[in-house]
Amino acid sequence: MITKINGNLFADMIIQGAQNLSNNADMVDALNVYPVPDGDTGTNMNLSMTSGREEVQAHLTAHIGDLGKAFSKGLLMGARGNSGVILSQIFRGFSKALEDKEEIDAKQFAESFEAGVKTAYKAVMKPVEGTILTVAKDAGAAAVKKAKETDDCLEVMAYVYEEAQKSLENTPNLLPVLKEVGVVDSGGKGLTLVYEGFLKAMKGETIVAEAPKVDREAFFNDEHDFHGVIDTDDIVYGYCTEMMVRFQADKAPFNEADFRNEMSQFGDSLLVISDDEIVKVHVHTETPGEVFTFGQKYGELIKVKAENMREQHREVLRKEAAHQSKTTPSTESSTTETVETAVITISMGDGITKLFKSMGATHVISGGQTMNPSTEDIVKVINDSGCKRAIILPNNKNIQMASQQAADIVDAETVIIPTRTVPQGIAAMFHYDESADLATNEEAMTAAIDDVQSGAMTYAVRDTKIDGIEIEKGAFMGLVEDKIIASDRDKKTVLQETLNQMLSEDSEILTIITGEEADRDLTEWIEAFVGEHYEDVEVEVQDGQQPIYPYLFAVE
């Protein structure tokens, strides 16, 4: 029986909850409704929770209120993606209820769960039931109910976890798309894993960090050694690319030596590690998408990552220039120079970054699909700029909440332009006026979003059926806004259906943003198709160099 919880026990609960989530992050990622190669709920929640755990471990104390503050701060700053932000808000409210207490009893424990729910719901503009919010709400109600029956905090936690699991299993009945695809809510699953860790800690159990046969977390240092590289253009292969493939019996048989030999065609700095179930690959390449496609010959992609090393090198140069400017006078303007108004956009391709810069963005954060920047990443850019005002364009629906959370933290007056796609971000930037005040820019840039329709082509990472469309793993998919509207093994079929969905007699301009996997002949075919069927539509082509999506489309 546990009648009181102090900071020491709560710290262990957080550590075990974070470890349980970390051990199962890949499984949570796999619950992504859409079969696009960017399902990252588990990754985002894991990184967010890990940030909270690290802050706790750095500020261990028996005072549960003080420990809660550290936990809340770590989660808040490390929050990535909407799932990570909501998780941070749940425990922000939870910790707020503890802040003046040295230890808590069962009733106060239950009240903390309920306080977390209220804070999280307030943070979401349009709460959707059948998500992590519902699981948190049902678990909070369970806590309050049980605390009326017992003084044992352990019994309260056991009931919270039990009811959270029941709520999770019910999410497909509340959110039809989950039922159609045959999964439970991924964010809700992540929360139940945290609660399971809490319960095990209270029982005195320890969750051991899984040691996978192929190391999934610390495979490579994300920082690259640019020693001797003077100019960014000297980097021959610009994308640090990693993937993990789970072998499947119906795919090509795997031989590590042959696999490594064939992989060498894609670039350099190749490393391959495999066991009986999984192969993990690291390579520097110009075509991450081709690497991922090659990996699919052998099985299912369960984790992919592509980082722009040229952008990382530019950041190294910027930091070196900033350091030098402290000791050496310079007449050249620096990217760290203080600005009155910071215009911050999120970009997922070198060409897109250049485009945003040319349109007036003062700062570009590399990110987007599969690599959502954290709240802290955005806060740091704003603070380092020394700006009085800031405009943030997330350009991704999964970065909007982290952007808003950053805006709530910084001192600078900050507005969020609710761009959900890169085309929307480009349209908004067209209406940015450096001479206008913040309110005027916010109004004009936000209004511009409604004037553009966004589309994309990518590939499926698993078999599924959604919105009545049968999707095969490895097939190409066409998306219009957030909806999959076409899927086929033939790229032209998918492109034709996507463009026909987007274009009409009222359309004026089609902007094609080509990605790493775009093919020049296919791009020319797209231009010819539009010219033949929509002769009044003007076509513009921009080299975006984005991963995962060979083509992005904007229709005005």
Side-chain angles (χ1 to χ4, degrees), residues 249-301:
D250 60 342
K251 294 287 187 173
F254 179 81
N255 177 279
E256 184 172 314
D258 292 341
F259 181 87
R260 183 180 286 105
N261 183 55
E262 291 190 64
M263 276 297 308
S264 64
Q265 67 180 300
F266 294 109
D268 61 14
S269 299
L270 174 65
L271 186 58
V272 176
I273 297 176
S274 68
D275 57 25
D276 293 337
E277 300 176 356
I278 291 170
V279 60
K280 181 74 185 283
V281 180
H282 169 277
V283 65
H284 292 176
T285 182
E286 282 294 280
T287 55
E290 292 182 9
V291 171
F292 300 149
T293 300
F294 178 78
Q296 286 182 296
K297 290 170 55 178
Y298 296 89
E300 179 182 11
L301 295 178

Side-chain angles (χ1 to χ4, degrees), residues 77 168 226 230 338 362 486 497 522:
M77 299 305 288
L168 176 67
F226 294 116
I230 298 174
T338 299
T362 61
E497 290 186 39
L522 189 58

Side-chain angles (χ1 to χ4, degrees), residues 31 45 226 262 316 425 461 523:
L31 293 174
M45 294 185 76
F226 294 116
E262 291 190 64
V316 169
V461 295
T523 304

Side-chain angles (χ1 to χ4, degrees), residues 1-5 13 94 104-114 138-164 195 198-199 202-203:
M1 182 171 182
I2 300 175
T3 58
K4 300 285 185 180
I5 300 175
M13 292 164 62
F94 186 102
I104 57 173
D105 58 22
K107 181 181 178 182
Q108 293 165 327
F109 188 35
E111 290 171 348
S112 297
F113 281 104
E114 196 165 53
D138 291 345
V144 173
K145 177 183 177 182
K146 197 66 177 178
K148 293 177 181 178
E149 303 171 1
T150 180
D151 295 329
D152 188 350
C153 296
L154 180 56
E155 286 189 22
V156 171
M157 189 67 241
Y159 193 59
V160 164
Y161 176 53
E162 179 184 340
E163 292 302 303
Y195 287 165
F198 281 11
L199 179 60
M202 294 177 73
K203 289 180 175 180

Side-chain angles (χ1 to χ4, degrees), residues 158-231:
Y159 193 59
V160 164
Y161 176 53
E162 179 184 340
E163 292 302 303
Q165 286 183 298
K166 289 180 181 178
S167 179
L168 176 67
E169 293 303 318
N170 190 50
T171 54
N173 295 323
L174 301 176
L175 204 55
V177 69
L178 295 176
K179 178 171 285 190
E180 182 181 14
V181 177
V183 297
V184 295
D185 178 67
S186 55
K189 179 61 177 179
L191 183 62
T192 63
L193 289 167
V194 173
Y195 287 165
E196 182 183 26
F198 281 11
L199 179 60
K200 286 182 178 294
M202 294 177 73
K203 289 180 175 180
E205 300 175 19
T206 299
I207 299 174
V208 178
E210 289 186 355
K213 297 174 185 177
V214 177
D215 189 349
R216 303 182 180 203
E217 298 298 332
F219 189 66
F220 277 93
N221 187 339
D222 287 335
E223 295 294 326
H224 299 287
D225 181 9
F226 294 116
H227 180 69
V229 180
I230 298 174
D231 190 82

Side-chain angles (χ1 to χ4, degrees), residues 50 92 96 153 159 164 207 274 322 341 349 379 455 466 512 517 527:
T50 297
R92 180 185 180 190
K96 185 73 173 175
C153 296
Y159 193 59
I207 299 174
S274 68
T341 301
V379 168
I466 190 165
I512 305 169
E517 298 173 78
E527 292 181 87

